Amino acid sequence: MTVVRFDSAVFFDNAAVLDTASGVLARGQRVLVRGEAIAAVGSDLEAPAGARVIDLAGRTLMPGLIDCHAHVNAHTADLAALGDQSPAYVALKAAEEMRAMLHRGFTTVRDPGGADFGLHDAVAEGIVDGPRLYFGGKALSQTGGHVDMRPRGRSVRDEHRCCPDLGVVCDGVDGVRKAAREQLRTGAFHVKIMLSGGVASPTDRVDSTQFSIEEIRAIVEEAEAANRYVAGHAYTARAINRGLAAGVRSIEHGNLLDETSIELFLEHDAFLVPTLVTYQRMSVEGAEYGLPEVSLRKNTLVLDAGIRALEAAHRAGVNLCYGSDLLGGMRRHQLEEFRIRGAVLPAADVIRSATVTAARLLGEEGRLGRIIPGALADLLVVEGDPLEDLAVLTEPEANLKLIMQGGEVKADRLG
Ligand code: ZN
Ligand code: ZN
């Protein structure tokens, strides 16, 4: 029998509940939270004896935000430098950033490269305040691929398996299988792989494809055997399509996709995680945060195409998830992706990408991203209506009045 502790009940009165699935704001609602979950939602609920009653005076109550692409370890944009730093130092920097993410309203974050089981456990145990962390461990890359950080003149590679950099280099079907199993055995929620070149790596081309089809299939097979999935970094249609055809479930970035990619997304019910804000910020302040010149040149290749890719994917009905992918001090712009997407897409659809659709990608449908009975009580009290104006979400100091995570109040500025 479950013992209900009345002192752990919170009753939100006079709330405008944002239904993320339908994209509608329902006014005059009451929401009962018991323990870590939402117990009831309705207009005629009564507060149980002993519950803490919070009168929202008509303010918006919405689910906590989910960023599906954020690197908590990347406190510098010079990713090659991370592997040489103290894991303790990087972990403490990550703790600082995770707390900041939570206070921007992100109660859940998926980290596709860097975060490990230690950071996950630290949040879960309440040692640090931060988003629920769906980590992938180290991203897998081929030799010369997106996480191979050696300059051209160096052939020796320190494996850095113990260190806090974002990826691991592996080659050949046996090699990639072993690397995927190594991440999965740590409890990784997904396996992240590099399907194409990238901006922050020193020697690869953005338009390259990476890993052979056989290698990609082997990694997908290992992830699926563990009831997990593969997330693939890719820019061009050629790289995206190879991944989707081989069973990759989410494509990260996808800036240079085309109509053939969109067909494959729909056919496989796959997810696209655009990360437009990172290209915008890298062009403005990347150099200041340590992004090398070679990376800045690559950045311009993907910046403009990204917004067109987002619009085309949205028009076709592709599953879209919110992503930021910011590095170093640029991570303070994590909410700016709302503004960028809101300029071309309906607000309700942008919010869906950071709630319901993101939850589906994480395999947490009905548990995260919605205000319904049985869902975890990850809740935000917001001044203003984000469906009317997404910009209210981008100014948390002014508009984010309360943050609840798993039924626990993490910030309260209701006064
Ligand atoms: Zn990437
Ligand atoms: Zn990334």
Side-chain angles (χ1 to χ4, degrees):
M1 197 182 98
T2 315
V3 179
V4 177
R5 289 174 54 236
F6 284 101
D7 59 350
S8 71
V10 176
F11 188 81
F12 291 102
D13 199 5
N14 201 7
V17 170
L18 203 162
D19 182 338
T20 47
S22 64
V24 168
L25 198 67
R27 298 184 190 277
Q29 298 296 299
R30 293 166 165 179
V31 175
L32 176 63
V33 172
R34 272 197 204 281
E36 64 169 12
I38 295 165
V41 183
S43 54
D44 52 3
L45 301 176
E46 292 298 327
R52 177 185 170 197
V53 177
I54 302 177
D55 185 351
L56 294 185
R59 292 187 185 90
T60 300
L61 187 69
M62 66 180 292
L65 303 170
I66 304 171
D67 187 340
C68 289
H69 194 126
H71 298 284
V72 305
N73 272 7
H75 68 84
T76 169
D78 184 2
L79 299 180
L82 270 180
D84 295 323
Q85 296 184 358
S86 153
Y89 177 76
V90 175
L92 288 168
K93 294 289 278 184
E96 190 180 41
E97 179 59 27
M98 288 193 294
R99 187 169 193 284
M101 288 177 172
L102 180 64
H103 284 261
R104 291 180 198 119
F106 291 98
T107 49
T108 299
V109 156
R110 168 181 178 256
D111 186 315
D116 70 355
F117 60 99
L119 290 177
H120 169 273
D121 291 0
V123 174
E125 291 168 19
I127 297 167
V128 294
D129 268 351
R132 299 177 190 283
L133 200 54
Y134 287 76
F135 70 95
K138 289 191 188 300
L140 275 47
S141 158
Q142 67 170 49
T143 292
H146 185 37
V147 307
D148 189 338
M149 289 297 167
R150 293 172 298 170
R152 284 183 299 173
R154 190 189 305 166
S155 54
V156 174
R157 190 178 68 235
D158 179 341
E159 288 297 324
H160 273 140
R161 280 178 201 275
C162 60
C163 303
D165 51 354
L166 305 191
V168 63
V169 173
C170 50
D171 294 286
V173 168
D174 291 346
V176 302
R177 254 188 219 289
K178 176 103 179 353
R181 288 174 181 171
E182 289 290 358
Q183 299 312 314
L184 290 163
R185 86 180 176 85
T186 69
F189 290 83
H190 61 267
V191 178
K192 166 76 179 298
I193 68 172
M194 300 308 183
L195 294 167
S196 85
V199 171
S201 38
T203 63
D204 61 2
R205 294 173 53 94
V206 166
D207 62 5
S208 64
T209 67
Q210 300 186 358
F211 282 134
S212 68
I213 296 289
E214 291 71 27
E215 288 168 323
I216 301 168
R217 287 216 180 96
I219 299 166
V220 168
E221 198 177 290
E222 292 304 323
E224 288 181 352
N227 287 319
R228 300 305 205 206
Y229 68 94
V230 174
H233 155 112
Y235 288 111
T236 62
R238 187 163 71 115
I240 294 165
N241 296 3
R242 289 170 90 243
L244 290 175
V248 171
R249 184 150 181 263
S250 75
I251 294 294
E252 314 298 309
H253 322 303
N255 300 44
L256 302 165
L257 57 72
D258 68 12
E259 289 303 321
T260 62
S261 317
I262 287 174
E263 275 168 38
L264 283 167
F265 273 108
L266 297 174
E267 184 188 324
H268 293 271
D269 194 25
F271 295 73
L272 175 64
V273 188
T275 59
L276 302 171
V277 65
T278 196
Y279 310 109
Q280 196 195 65
R281 295 320 304 179
M282 279 195 282
S283 70
V284 177
E285 54 184 348
E288 191 185 325
Y289 287 105
L291 198 70
E293 176 61 32
V294 59
S295 296
L296 287 167
R297 277 200 299 277
K298 290 192 203 179
N299 190 53
T300 53
L301 292 174
V302 295
L303 179 59
D304 299 332
I307 202 88
R308 292 194 294 276
L310 173 69
E311 285 183 281
H314 175 261
R315 220 169 19 244
V318 171
N319 301 315
L320 290 171
C321 293
Y322 191 95
S324 59
D325 198 26
L326 291 157
L327 305 174
M330 293 178 278
R331 292 181 296 185
R332 73 185 189 282
H333 299 291
Q334 192 179 14
L335 288 159
E336 287 298 310
E337 184 80 11
F338 278 105
R339 214 189 287 272
I340 295 170
R341 294 192 191 191
V344 291
L345 305 187
D349 292 345
V350 182
I351 291 168
R352 208 169 280 132
S353 75
T355 53
V356 204
T357 314
R360 193 151 75 80
L361 171 57
L362 297 176
E364 300 290 8
E365 208 172 0
R367 199 163 165 268
L368 295 176
R370 295 195 64 186
I371 301 185
I372 52 172
L376 288 169
D378 289 1
L379 299 168
L380 307 178
V381 173
V382 176
E383 196 79 69
D385 178 359
L387 292 171
E388 283 287 310
D389 182 10
L390 270 178
V392 303
L393 295 178
T394 65
E395 281 153 24
E397 312 77 20
N399 302 321
L400 191 50
K401 297 297 178 187
L402 185 137
I403 302 165
M404 175 178 270
Q405 186 189 39
E408 231 180 279
V409 175
K410 296 290 184 178
D412 184 353
R413 287 189 224 108
L414 280 170

